[in-house]
PDB file of all heavy atoms in Angstrom:
ATOM      1  N   GLU A   1       0.835  -1.224  -0.002  1.00 91.00           N
ATOM      2  CA  GLU A   1      -0.003   0.017   0.018  1.00 91.00           C
ATOM      3  C   GLU A   1       0.851   1.275  -0.016  1.00 91.00           C
ATOM      4  O   GLU A   1       0.499   2.245  -0.635  1.00 91.00           O
ATOM      5  CB  GLU A   1      -0.936   0.014   1.204  1.00 91.00           C
ATOM      6  CG  GLU A   1      -1.998   1.088   1.175  1.00 91.00           C
ATOM      7  CD  GLU A   1      -2.990   0.925   2.262  1.00 91.00           C
ATOM      8  OE1 GLU A   1      -3.492  -0.180   2.507  1.00 91.00           O
ATOM      9  OE2 GLU A   1      -3.328   1.953   2.861  1.00 91.00           O
ATOM     10  N   ASP A   2       1.993   1.230   0.683  1.00 94.00           N
ATOM     11  CA  ASP A   2       2.830   2.436   0.812  1.00 94.00           C
ATOM     12  C   ASP A   2       4.255   2.291   0.239  1.00 94.00           C
ATOM     13  O   ASP A   2       5.067   3.186   0.413  1.00 94.00           O
ATOM     14  CB  ASP A   2       2.899   2.826   2.296  1.00 94.00           C
ATOM     15  CG  ASP A   2       3.629   1.793   3.167  1.00 94.00           C
ATOM     16  OD1 ASP A   2       3.773   0.637   2.686  1.00 94.00           O
ATOM     17  OD2 ASP A   2       4.003   2.145   4.279  1.00 94.00           O
ATOM     18  N   SER A   3       4.555   1.175  -0.378  1.00 94.00           N
ATOM     19  CA  SER A   3       5.921   0.989  -0.901  1.00 94.00           C
ATOM     20  C   SER A   3       5.997  -0.169  -1.920  1.00 94.00           C
ATOM     21  O   SER A   3       5.016  -0.847  -2.157  1.00 94.00           O
ATOM     22  CB  SER A   3       6.851   0.666   0.251  1.00 94.00           C
ATOM     23  OG  SER A   3       6.533  -0.618   0.838  1.00 94.00           O
ATOM     24  N   ILE A   4       7.146  -0.227  -2.511  1.00 93.00           N
ATOM     25  CA  ILE A   4       7.504  -1.393  -3.367  1.00 93.00           C
ATOM     26  C   ILE A   4       8.756  -1.970  -2.786  1.00 93.00           C
ATOM     27  O   ILE A   4       9.714  -1.282  -2.486  1.00 93.00           O
ATOM     28  CB  ILE A   4       7.796  -0.947  -4.809  1.00 93.00           C
ATOM     29  CG1 ILE A   4       6.558  -0.348  -5.451  1.00 93.00           C
ATOM     30  CG2 ILE A   4       8.328  -2.107  -5.655  1.00 93.00           C
ATOM     31  CD1 ILE A   4       6.806   0.341  -6.820  1.00 93.00           C
ATOM     32  N   ARG A   5       8.745  -3.291  -2.557  1.00 94.00           N
ATOM     33  CA  ARG A   5       9.877  -3.968  -2.019  1.00 94.00           C
ATOM     34  C   ARG A   5      10.498  -4.848  -3.102  1.00 94.00           C
ATOM     35  O   ARG A   5       9.797  -5.576  -3.748  1.00 94.00           O
ATOM     36  CB  ARG A   5       9.527  -4.872  -0.834  1.00 94.00           C
ATOM     37  CG  ARG A   5      10.734  -5.620  -0.241  1.00 94.00           C
ATOM     38  CD  ARG A   5      10.336  -6.421   0.961  1.00 94.00           C
ATOM     39  NE  ARG A   5       9.935  -5.533   2.014  1.00 94.00           N
ATOM     40  CZ  ARG A   5       9.101  -5.875   3.018  1.00 94.00           C
ATOM     41  NH1 ARG A   5       8.613  -7.100   3.095  1.00 94.00           N
ATOM     42  NH2 ARG A   5       8.769  -5.008   3.902  1.00 94.00           N
ATOM     43  N   VAL A   6      11.805  -4.726  -3.262  1.00 94.00           N
ATOM     44  CA  VAL A   6      12.536  -5.516  -4.299  1.00 94.00           C
ATOM     45  C   VAL A   6      13.490  -6.440  -3.555  1.00 94.00           C
ATOM     46  O   VAL A   6      14.299  -5.951  -2.714  1.00 94.00           O
ATOM     47  CB  VAL A   6      13.312  -4.590  -5.221  1.00 94.00           C
ATOM     48  CG1 VAL A   6      14.053  -5.399  -6.272  1.00 94.00           C
ATOM     49  CG2 VAL A   6      12.374  -3.551  -5.884  1.00 94.00           C
ATOM     50  N   ARG A   7      13.376  -7.737  -3.854  1.00 95.00           N
ATOM     51  CA  ARG A   7      14.285  -8.687  -3.235  1.00 95.00           C
ATOM     52  C   ARG A   7      14.920  -9.517  -4.344  1.00 95.00           C
ATOM     53  O   ARG A   7      14.326  -9.782  -5.384  1.00 95.00           O
ATOM     54  CB  ARG A   7      13.515  -9.620  -2.322  1.00 95.00           C
ATOM     55  CG  ARG A   7      12.852  -8.866  -1.162  1.00 95.00           C
ATOM     56  CD  ARG A   7      12.162  -9.784  -0.178  1.00 95.00           C
ATOM     57  NE  ARG A   7      11.061 -10.470  -0.818  1.00 95.00           N
ATOM     58  CZ  ARG A   7      10.450 -11.557  -0.268  1.00 95.00           C
ATOM     59  NH1 ARG A   7      10.869 -11.998   0.888  1.00 95.00           N
ATOM     60  NH2 ARG A   7       9.473 -12.117  -0.905  1.00 95.00           N
ATOM     61  N   LEU A   8      16.133  -9.927  -4.103  1.00 96.00           N
ATOM     62  CA  LEU A   8      16.869 -10.805  -5.004  1.00 96.00           C
ATOM     63  C   LEU A   8      17.152 -12.122  -4.299  1.00 96.00           C
ATOM     64  O   LEU A   8      17.443 -12.139  -3.087  1.00 96.00           O
ATOM     65  CB  LEU A   8      18.236 -10.170  -5.393  1.00 96.00           C
ATOM     66  CG  LEU A   8      18.185  -8.864  -6.124  1.00 96.00           C
ATOM     67  CD1 LEU A   8      19.608  -8.377  -6.396  1.00 96.00           C
ATOM     68  CD2 LEU A   8      17.407  -8.926  -7.394  1.00 96.00           C
ATOM     69  N   ARG A   9      17.012 -13.204  -5.031  1.00 96.00           N
ATOM     70  CA  ARG A   9      17.414 -14.504  -4.437  1.00 96.00           C
ATOM     71  C   ARG A   9      18.852 -14.743  -4.827  1.00 96.00           C
ATOM     72  O   ARG A   9      19.235 -14.892  -5.992  1.00 96.00           O
ATOM     73  CB  ARG A   9      16.542 -15.636  -5.006  1.00 96.00           C
ATOM     74  CG  ARG A   9      16.878 -17.003  -4.316  1.00 96.00           C
ATOM     75  CD  ARG A   9      15.925 -18.091  -4.771  1.00 96.00           C
ATOM     76  NE  ARG A   9      14.552 -17.812  -4.675  1.00 96.00           N
ATOM     77  CZ  ARG A   9      13.763 -17.896  -3.596  1.00 96.00           C
ATOM     78  NH1 ARG A   9      14.337 -18.289  -2.448  1.00 96.00           N
ATOM     79  NH2 ARG A   9      12.480 -17.630  -3.674  1.00 96.00           N
ATOM     80  N   ILE A  10      19.706 -14.734  -3.772  1.00 96.00           N
ATOM     81  CA  ILE A  10      21.139 -14.920  -3.917  1.00 96.00           C
ATOM     82  C   ILE A  10      21.556 -16.113  -3.115  1.00 96.00           C
ATOM     83  O   ILE A  10      21.348 -16.176  -1.914  1.00 96.00           O
ATOM     84  CB  ILE A  10      21.926 -13.644  -3.473  1.00 96.00           C
ATOM     85  CG1 ILE A  10      21.425 -12.444  -4.247  1.00 96.00           C
ATOM     86  CG2 ILE A  10      23.419 -13.856  -3.617  1.00 96.00           C
ATOM     87  CD1 ILE A  10      21.900 -11.099  -3.729  1.00 96.00           C
ATOM     88  N   LEU A  11      22.106 -17.108  -3.806  1.00 96.00           N
ATOM     89  CA  LEU A  11      22.514 -18.361  -3.176  1.00 96.00           C
ATOM     90  C   LEU A  11      21.376 -18.971  -2.328  1.00 96.00           C
ATOM     91  O   LEU A  11      21.569 -19.433  -1.231  1.00 96.00           O
ATOM     92  CB  LEU A  11      23.749 -18.134  -2.261  1.00 96.00           C
ATOM     93  CG  LEU A  11      24.982 -17.675  -3.038  1.00 96.00           C
ATOM     94  CD1 LEU A  11      26.103 -17.349  -2.016  1.00 96.00           C
ATOM     95  CD2 LEU A  11      25.447 -18.742  -3.977  1.00 96.00           C
ATOM     96  N   GLY A  12      20.165 -18.938  -2.892  1.00 95.00           N
ATOM     97  CA  GLY A  12      19.006 -19.531  -2.307  1.00 95.00           C
ATOM     98  C   GLY A  12      18.302 -18.692  -1.238  1.00 95.00           C
ATOM     99  O   GLY A  12      17.259 -19.082  -0.727  1.00 95.00           O
ATOM    100  N   GLU A  13      18.831 -17.527  -0.921  1.00 96.00           N
ATOM    101  CA  GLU A  13      18.227 -16.694   0.111  1.00 96.00           C
ATOM    102  C   GLU A  13      17.692 -15.400  -0.459  1.00 96.00           C
ATOM    103  O   GLU A  13      18.370 -14.757  -1.258  1.00 96.00           O
ATOM    104  CB  GLU A  13      19.277 -16.370   1.209  1.00 96.00           C
ATOM    105  CG  GLU A  13      18.696 -15.607   2.371  1.00 96.00           C
ATOM    106  CD  GLU A  13      19.714 -15.409   3.458  1.00 96.00           C
ATOM    107  OE1 GLU A  13      20.646 -16.255   3.636  1.00 96.00           O
ATOM    108  OE2 GLU A  13      19.651 -14.418   4.198  1.00 96.00           O
ATOM    109  N   LEU A  14      16.436 -15.035  -0.061  1.00 96.00           N
ATOM    110  CA  LEU A  14      15.866 -13.766  -0.539  1.00 96.00           C
ATOM    111  C   LEU A  14      16.429 -12.651   0.289  1.00 96.00           C
ATOM    112  O   LEU A  14      16.356 -12.629   1.499  1.00 96.00           O
ATOM    113  CB  LEU A  14      14.359 -13.808  -0.403  1.00 96.00           C
ATOM    114  CG  LEU A  14      13.617 -14.514  -1.537  1.00 96.00           C
ATOM    115  CD1 LEU A  14      12.137 -14.609  -1.199  1.00 96.00           C
ATOM    116  CD2 LEU A  14      13.807 -13.826  -2.874  1.00 96.00           C
ATOM    117  N   CYS A  15      17.011 -11.649  -0.386  1.00 95.00           N
ATOM    118  CA  CYS A  15      17.614 -10.492   0.254  1.00 95.00           C
ATOM    119  C   CYS A  15      16.938  -9.263  -0.197  1.00 95.00           C
ATOM    120  O   CYS A  15      16.812  -9.017  -1.397  1.00 95.00           O
ATOM    121  CB  CYS A  15      19.097 -10.392  -0.080  1.00 95.00           C
ATOM    122  SG  CYS A  15      20.041 -11.882   0.259  1.00 95.00           S
ATOM    123  N   ILE A  16      16.470  -8.394   0.718  1.00 95.00           N
ATOM    124  CA  ILE A  16      15.885  -7.129   0.344  1.00 95.00           C
ATOM    125  C   ILE A  16      17.015  -6.221  -0.166  1.00 95.00           C
ATOM    126  O   ILE A  16      17.990  -6.002   0.559  1.00 95.00           O
ATOM    127  CB  ILE A  16      15.198  -6.466   1.537  1.00 95.00           C
ATOM    128  CG1 ILE A  16      14.013  -7.329   1.994  1.00 95.00           C
ATOM    129  CG2 ILE A  16      14.695  -5.058   1.176  1.00 95.00           C
ATOM    130  CD1 ILE A  16      13.331  -6.857   3.291  1.00 95.00           C
ATOM    131  N   VAL A  17      16.847  -5.726  -1.399  1.00 93.00           N
ATOM    132  CA  VAL A  17      17.887  -4.849  -1.965  1.00 93.00           C
ATOM    133  C   VAL A  17      17.378  -3.418  -2.120  1.00 93.00           C
ATOM    134  O   VAL A  17      18.184  -2.493  -2.220  1.00 93.00           O
ATOM    135  CB  VAL A  17      18.422  -5.381  -3.296  1.00 93.00           C
ATOM    136  CG1 VAL A  17      19.177  -6.658  -3.140  1.00 93.00           C
ATOM    137  CG2 VAL A  17      17.322  -5.500  -4.315  1.00 93.00           C
ATOM    138  N   GLN A  18      16.056  -3.237  -2.067  1.00 91.00           N
ATOM    139  CA  GLN A  18      15.553  -1.866  -2.250  1.00 91.00           C
ATOM    140  C   GLN A  18      14.114  -1.811  -1.745  1.00 91.00           C
ATOM    141  O   GLN A  18      13.343  -2.743  -1.943  1.00 91.00           O
ATOM    142  CB  GLN A  18      15.616  -1.522  -3.736  1.00 91.00           C
ATOM    143  CG  GLN A  18      15.283  -0.107  -4.018  1.00 91.00           C
ATOM    144  CD  GLN A  18      15.532   0.245  -5.499  1.00 91.00           C
ATOM    145  OE1 GLN A  18      15.630  -0.595  -6.332  1.00 91.00           O
ATOM    146  NE2 GLN A  18      15.586   1.526  -5.763  1.00 91.00           N
ATOM    147  N   GLU A  19      13.766  -0.695  -1.104  1.00 93.00           N
ATOM    148  CA  GLU A  19      12.384  -0.428  -0.768  1.00 93.00           C
ATOM    149  C   GLU A  19      12.124   0.982  -1.300  1.00 93.00           C
ATOM    150  O   GLU A  19      12.895   1.919  -0.988  1.00 93.00           O
ATOM    151  CB  GLU A  19      12.137  -0.536   0.729  1.00 93.00           C
ATOM    152  CG  GLU A  19      12.199  -1.966   1.185  1.00 93.00           C
ATOM    153  CD  GLU A  19      11.446  -2.215   2.471  1.00 93.00           C
ATOM    154  OE1 GLU A  19      10.216  -2.109   2.461  1.00 93.00           O
ATOM    155  OE2 GLU A  19      12.125  -2.533   3.458  1.00 93.00           O
ATOM    156  N   ILE A  20      11.061   1.108  -2.054  1.00 90.00           N
ATOM    157  CA  ILE A  20      10.758   2.380  -2.703  1.00 90.00           C
ATOM    158  C   ILE A  20       9.557   2.966  -2.030  1.00 90.00           C
ATOM    159  O   ILE A  20       8.465   2.447  -2.099  1.00 90.00           O
ATOM    160  CB  ILE A  20      10.476   2.127  -4.220  1.00 90.00           C
ATOM    161  CG1 ILE A  20      11.747   1.464  -4.861  1.00 90.00           C
ATOM    162  CG2 ILE A  20      10.125   3.437  -4.932  1.00 90.00           C
ATOM    163  CD1 ILE A  20      11.451   0.914  -6.243  1.00 90.00           C
ATOM    164  N   PHE A  21       9.763   4.098  -1.379  1.00 89.00           N
ATOM    165  CA  PHE A  21       8.709   4.848  -0.700  1.00 89.00           C
ATOM    166  C   PHE A  21       8.480   6.153  -1.429  1.00 89.00           C
ATOM    167  O   PHE A  21       8.892   7.191  -0.959  1.00 89.00           O
ATOM    168  CB  PHE A  21       9.092   5.113   0.777  1.00 89.00           C
ATOM    169  CG  PHE A  21       9.236   3.885   1.601  1.00 89.00           C
ATOM    170  CD1 PHE A  21      10.480   3.330   1.800  1.00 89.00           C
ATOM    171  CD2 PHE A  21       8.151   3.332   2.183  1.00 89.00           C
ATOM    172  CE1 PHE A  21      10.636   2.181   2.609  1.00 89.00           C
ATOM    173  CE2 PHE A  21       8.270   2.161   2.974  1.00 89.00           C
ATOM    174  CZ  PHE A  21       9.494   1.633   3.184  1.00 89.00           C
ATOM    175  N   GLU A  22       7.889   6.061  -2.575  1.00 88.00           N
ATOM    176  CA  GLU A  22       7.570   7.260  -3.355  1.00 88.00           C
ATOM    177  C   GLU A  22       6.086   7.489  -3.301  1.00 88.00           C
ATOM    178  O   GLU A  22       5.337   6.726  -2.648  1.00 88.00           O
ATOM    179  CB  GLU A  22       8.044   7.088  -4.816  1.00 88.00           C
ATOM    180  CG  GLU A  22       9.539   6.972  -5.017  1.00 88.00           C
ATOM    181  CD  GLU A  22      10.280   8.273  -4.808  1.00 88.00           C
ATOM    182  OE1 GLU A  22       9.644   9.332  -4.770  1.00 88.00           O
ATOM    183  OE2 GLU A  22      11.512   8.219  -4.616  1.00 88.00           O
ATOM    184  N   THR A  23       5.619   8.511  -3.989  1.00 89.00           N
ATOM    185  CA  THR A  23       4.167   8.750  -4.067  1.00 89.00           C
ATOM    186  C   THR A  23       3.475   7.639  -4.762  1.00 89.00           C
ATOM    187  O   THR A  23       4.111   6.905  -5.519  1.00 89.00           O
ATOM    188  CB  THR A  23       3.875  10.075  -4.815  1.00 89.00           C
ATOM    189  OG1 THR A  23       4.267   9.879  -6.201  1.00 89.00           O
ATOM    190  CG2 THR A  23       4.590  11.250  -4.228  1.00 89.00           C
ATOM    191  N   PRO A  24       2.181   7.408  -4.511  1.00 91.00           N
ATOM    192  CA  PRO A  24       1.463   6.364  -5.147  1.00 91.00           C
ATOM    193  C   PRO A  24       1.553   6.500  -6.706  1.00 91.00           C
ATOM    194  O   PRO A  24       1.685   5.465  -7.404  1.00 91.00           O
ATOM    195  CB  PRO A  24      -0.001   6.565  -4.718  1.00 91.00           C
ATOM    196  CG  PRO A  24       0.113   7.202  -3.365  1.00 91.00           C
ATOM    197  CD  PRO A  24       1.352   8.085  -3.510  1.00 91.00           C
ATOM    198  N   GLU A  25       1.553   7.679  -7.211  1.00 91.00           N
ATOM    199  CA  GLU A  25       1.644   7.897  -8.676  1.00 91.00           C
ATOM    200  C   GLU A  25       2.983   7.380  -9.203  1.00 91.00           C
ATOM    201  O   GLU A  25       3.047   6.680 -10.227  1.00 91.00           O
ATOM    202  CB  GLU A  25       1.488   9.357  -9.008  1.00 91.00           C
ATOM    203  CG  GLU A  25       1.620   9.635 -10.513  1.00 91.00           C
ATOM    204  CD  GLU A  25       1.555  11.153 -10.783  1.00 91.00           C
ATOM    205  OE1 GLU A  25       0.452  11.686 -10.678  1.00 91.00           O
ATOM    206  OE2 GLU A  25       2.630  11.727 -11.077  1.00 91.00           O
ATOM    207  N   ILE A  26       4.038   7.666  -8.511  1.00 89.00           N
ATOM    208  CA  ILE A  26       5.393   7.270  -8.967  1.00 89.00           C
ATOM    209  C   ILE A  26       5.508   5.724  -8.831  1.00 89.00           C
ATOM    210  O   ILE A  26       6.016   5.062  -9.728  1.00 89.00           O
ATOM    211  CB  ILE A  26       6.508   7.963  -8.184  1.00 89.00           C
ATOM    212  CG1 ILE A  26       6.523   9.466  -8.620  1.00 89.00           C
ATOM    213  CG2 ILE A  26       7.865   7.336  -8.403  1.00 89.00           C
ATOM    214  CD1 ILE A  26       7.505  10.291  -7.844  1.00 89.00           C
ATOM    215  N   ARG A  27       4.991   5.184  -7.745  1.00 90.00           N
ATOM    216  CA  ARG A  27       5.058   3.725  -7.590  1.00 90.00           C
ATOM    217  C   ARG A  27       4.296   3.013  -8.683  1.00 90.00           C
ATOM    218  O   ARG A  27       4.787   2.022  -9.251  1.00 90.00           O
ATOM    219  CB  ARG A  27       4.557   3.312  -6.200  1.00 90.00           C
ATOM    220  CG  ARG A  27       5.471   3.724  -5.069  1.00 90.00           C
ATOM    221  CD  ARG A  27       5.132   3.032  -3.783  1.00 90.00           C
ATOM    222  NE  ARG A  27       3.736   2.965  -3.422  1.00 90.00           N
ATOM    223  CZ  ARG A  27       3.084   3.890  -2.717  1.00 90.00           C
ATOM    224  NH1 ARG A  27       3.684   4.957  -2.275  1.00 90.00           N
ATOM    225  NH2 ARG A  27       1.764   3.715  -2.454  1.00 90.00           N
ATOM    226  N   THR A  28       3.111   3.494  -9.024  1.00 89.00           N
ATOM    227  CA  THR A  28       2.302   2.911 -10.063  1.00 89.00           C
ATOM    228  C   THR A  28       3.032   3.019 -11.411  1.00 89.00           C
ATOM    229  O   THR A  28       3.076   2.062 -12.204  1.00 89.00           O
ATOM    230  CB  THR A  28       0.919   3.564 -10.163  1.00 89.00           C
ATOM    231  OG1 THR A  28       0.234   3.330  -8.946  1.00 89.00           O
ATOM    232  CG2 THR A  28       0.096   3.035 -11.306  1.00 89.00           C
ATOM    233  N   THR A  29       3.642   4.130 -11.654  1.00 88.00           N
ATOM    234  CA  THR A  29       4.371   4.335 -12.925  1.00 88.00           C
ATOM    235  C   THR A  29       5.571   3.431 -12.981  1.00 88.00           C
ATOM    236  O   THR A  29       5.896   2.864 -14.040  1.00 88.00           O
ATOM    237  CB  THR A  29       4.786   5.814 -13.085  1.00 88.00           C
ATOM    238  OG1 THR A  29       3.606   6.646 -12.983  1.00 88.00           O
ATOM    239  CG2 THR A  29       5.466   6.020 -14.431  1.00 88.00           C
ATOM    240  N   LEU A  30       6.289   3.225 -11.833  1.00 88.00           N
ATOM    241  CA  LEU A  30       7.412   2.317 -11.826  1.00 88.00           C
ATOM    242  C   LEU A  30       6.965   0.895 -12.138  1.00 88.00           C
ATOM    243  O   LEU A  30       7.611   0.232 -12.964  1.00 88.00           O
ATOM    244  CB  LEU A  30       8.089   2.334 -10.458  1.00 88.00           C
ATOM    245  CG  LEU A  30       9.108   3.437 -10.143  1.00 88.00           C
ATOM    246  CD1 LEU A  30       9.417   3.516  -8.703  1.00 88.00           C
ATOM    247  CD2 LEU A  30      10.343   3.229 -11.005  1.00 88.00           C
ATOM    248  N   ILE A  31       5.912   0.447 -11.557  1.00 88.00           N
ATOM    249  CA  ILE A  31       5.390  -0.896 -11.805  1.00 88.00           C
ATOM    250  C   ILE A  31       4.956  -1.018 -13.279  1.00 88.00           C
ATOM    251  O   ILE A  31       5.254  -1.997 -13.961  1.00 88.00           O
ATOM    252  CB  ILE A  31       4.247  -1.280 -10.845  1.00 88.00           C
ATOM    253  CG1 ILE A  31       4.774  -1.390  -9.424  1.00 88.00           C
ATOM    254  CG2 ILE A  31       3.507  -2.538 -11.287  1.00 88.00           C
ATOM    255  CD1 ILE A  31       5.722  -2.513  -9.197  1.00 88.00           C
TER     256      ILE A  31
END
């Protein structure tokens, strides 16, 4: 609802690499 979370699976483990807390408009445009 308030962010986009980006995770990468590295050596079998999911690692959070980025959390995007922009406006809803920017998040929708990113997606």
Side-chain angles (χ1 to χ4, degrees):
E1 191 172 316
D2 64 344
S3 66
I4 296 171
R5 180 178 295 154
V6 180
R7 298 183 298 165
L8 299 178
R9 186 176 307 278
I10 303 169
L11 298 173
E13 186 175 330
L14 279 174
C15 306
I16 297 173
V17 294
Q18 188 174 18
E19 291 203 67
I20 302 168
F21 295 97
E22 295 288 344
T23 65
E25 177 184 286
I26 290 175
R27 290 194 316 269
T28 298
T29 304
L30 277 167
I31 293 296

